[in-house]
């Protein structure tokens, strides 16, 4: 496949994004890698965040936990975690333990890599994962987890060319992707990550890496550099348009020619009720999950008017096809949120796709809002995810239709009471 150059102009504003910290990735990864345990070295703030964000219950006994840093620990060069690790092994018997950094110990310059090495054994490796809120957008922490797994992916033997899908999805979606590939005659080498640590896929020069999440550029680049693997450059498999391009481009890398024009048309027809509602709607995407580019591209092809698409990080090579498809749309990297507020006040979009932290203020000002976090947790990949993806966008409109009209005078009275 020929490399694609994009003429899409990216505005970069170098501002802080309103996003979760990387610890949020624990929420989906501990459920995906079923013989793992995720240990966070952090403070009570970290514990409070995870308990609230992940809905942890005392009866659930999830496979993640926090080694809390108390005041006396701050004077130690390296926290003592041997007893914690022993308890984790005794209670959960994991095949691998991921040691995740958080803000406070990173500021203290704790040597996480050295600490993980000291705690690691041949039977139960302890792998360091940088995941603090100081550096990463929260979805990029999955990229860090996958990079930690790279040394445990066997070297693929010379021979048959196979595809390895890169990105964490639930088992049903993984089965769907595998079945679709095999039906096309594409040999499947597995997924990174797999559901078990001891089943990580073999990767080598004959491996085609097919990224299915838009925030995994670093692990793909590393595998290409270290293992000589080829990386699929296509649209991500979201929506009828993205799914068609993804499978056609992947098939072509295996010398297989397919045309999914009819299948794409049928998928659009399946969601016609939803696209009729989206058509002409002004939609604004603030930076949060790094899924904004493919989501905006789907909305554009569905007939919506994308006012602005912003993202925390854009890799021009990794996101080349998505940027090409967004030609004509304002794309902003690391946006200035205060500038966006002014733009939103001016354009009055019909829907704002935004983070949990900024959603409620927008709702309070009468806007229709969609939590961007939901797109990271729902099955929206490939043909089977088309209906779910479309419904995620139209659900806020349908919900608003069932509510009484917004009375701006009530809001104004609440925030600016008249002088008595």
């Amino acid at each position: 496949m020929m490399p694609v150059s994009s003429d899409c102009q990216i505005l970069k504003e170098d501002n802080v994004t309103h996003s979760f910290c990387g610890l949020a990735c624990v929420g989906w990864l501990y459920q995906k890698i079923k013989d793992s345990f995720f240990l966070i070295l952090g403070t009570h703030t970290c514990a409070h965040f995870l308990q609230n964000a992940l809905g942890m219950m005392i009866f659930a006994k999830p496979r993640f936990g926090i080694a809390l840093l108390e005041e006396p620990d701050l004077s130690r060069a390296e926290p003592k975690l041997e007893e914690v690790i022993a308890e984790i092994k005794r209670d959960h018997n994991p095949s691998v333990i991921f040691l995740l950094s958080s803000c406070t110990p990173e500021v203290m310059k704790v040597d996480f890599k050295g600490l993980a090495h000291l705690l690691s054994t041949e039977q139960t490796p302890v792998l360091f994962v940088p995941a603090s809120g100081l550096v990463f957008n929260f979805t990029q922490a999955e990229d860090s987890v996958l990079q930690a797994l790279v040394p445990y992916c066997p070297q693929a033997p010379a021979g048959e060319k196979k595809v390895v899908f890169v990105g964490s999805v639930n088992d049903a979606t993984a089965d769907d992707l595998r079945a679709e590939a095999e039906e096309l005659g594409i040999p499947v080498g597995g997924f990174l990550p797999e559901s078990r640590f001891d089943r990580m896929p073999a990767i080598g020069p004959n491996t085609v890496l097919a990224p299915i999440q838009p925030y995994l550029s670093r692990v793909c680049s590393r595998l290409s550099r270290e293992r000589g693997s080829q990386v699929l450059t296509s649209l991500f498999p979201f929506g009828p348009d993205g799914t068609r391009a993804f499978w056609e481009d992947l098939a072509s890398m295996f010398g297989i020619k397919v045309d999914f024009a009819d299948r794409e048309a049928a998928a659009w027809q399946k969601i016609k009720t939803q696209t009729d509602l989206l058509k002409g709607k002004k939609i604004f995407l603030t930076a949060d999950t790094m899924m904004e580019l493919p989501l905006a591209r789907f909305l554009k092809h569905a007939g919506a008017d994308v006012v602005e698409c912003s993202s925390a990080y854009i890799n021009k090579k990794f996101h080349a096809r998505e940027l090409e498809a967004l030609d004509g749309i304002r794309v902003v990297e690391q946006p200035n949120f205060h500038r966006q507020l002014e733009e939103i006040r001016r354009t009055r979009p019909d829907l704002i796709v935004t983070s949990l932290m900024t959603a409620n203020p927008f709702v309070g000002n009468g806007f229709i809002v969609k939590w961007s976090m939901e797109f990271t947790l729902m099955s929206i990949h490939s043909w089977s995810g088309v209906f779910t993806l479309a419904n995620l966008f139209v659900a806020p409109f349908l919900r608003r239709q069932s509510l009484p009209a917004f009375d701006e005078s009530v809001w104004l009275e609440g925030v600016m009471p008249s002088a008595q």
Side-chain angles (χ1 to χ4, degrees), residues 74-293:
L74 300 179
S75 60
R76 293 180 181 174
E78 286 183 353
K80 301 298 182 183
L81 295 177
E82 289 83 354
E83 291 183 10
V84 176
I85 294 293
E87 183 180 346
I88 290 170
K89 291 179 180 179
R90 186 170 58 250
D91 291 351
H92 298 274
N93 192 30
S95 299
V96 61
I97 297 172
F98 295 99
L99 179 64
L100 277 68
S101 63
S102 64
C103 299
T104 301
E106 284 212 359
V107 170
M108 294 162 52
K109 302 300 181 185
V110 171
D111 180 12
F112 275 94
K113 191 170 286 188
L115 185 59
H117 179 73
L118 288 173
L119 296 169
S120 189
T121 64
E122 191 173 334
Q123 293 76 25
T124 312
V126 178
L127 310 182
F128 165 53
V129 176
S132 80
L134 296 174
V135 181
F136 298 99
N137 179 270
F138 77 96
T139 51
Q140 282 183 292
E142 178 179 327
D143 199 326
S144 298
V145 170
L146 300 192
Q147 288 195 77
L149 290 171
V150 166
Y152 296 89
C153 293
Q155 179 70 37
E160 188 180 18
K161 190 175 181 180
K162 293 186 177 182
V163 63
V164 169
F165 295 99
V166 182
S168 176
V169 290
N170 63 35
D171 291 346
T173 300
D175 289 344
D176 177 63
L177 292 168
R178 182 186 294 274
E180 188 70 39
E182 290 176 345
E183 188 173 332
L184 289 171
I186 300 172
V188 179
F191 288 76
L192 181 64
E194 288 284 5
S195 295
R196 290 187 59 83
F197 176 68
D198 58 2
R199 296 177 189 165
M200 292 301 151
I203 297 175
N206 282 335
T207 303
V208 173
L209 302 172
I212 53 178
Q213 304 287 23
Y215 41 78
L216 301 174
S217 61
R218 290 176 302 139
V219 68
C220 289
S221 296
R222 177 177 173 180
L223 285 167
S224 175
R225 184 175 63 252
E226 295 181 1
R227 302 286 181 97
S229 306
Q230 302 174 68
V231 181
L232 170 69
T233 301
S234 183
L235 297 179
F236 292 93
F238 302 141
D241 51 333
T243 300
R244 174 190 175 183
F246 178 86
W247 287 115
E248 288 183 354
D249 291 340
L250 181 58
S252 71
M253 293 187 76
F254 287 82
I256 302 168
K257 184 172 178 56
V258 291
D259 184 351
F260 282 137
D262 291 343
R263 196 168 181 184
E264 181 191 355
W268 283 117
Q269 184 61 35
K270 181 180 178 182
I271 57 171
K272 187 177 183 305
T273 301
Q274 290 91 333
T275 55
D276 284 348
L277 184 56
L278 292 172
K279 204 157 290 181
K281 292 288 194 301
K282 292 190 294 184
I283 301 180
F284 196 109
L285 294 93
T286 71
D288 184 30
T289 63
M290 284 184 58
M291 299 180 74
E292 290 82 16
L293 297 182

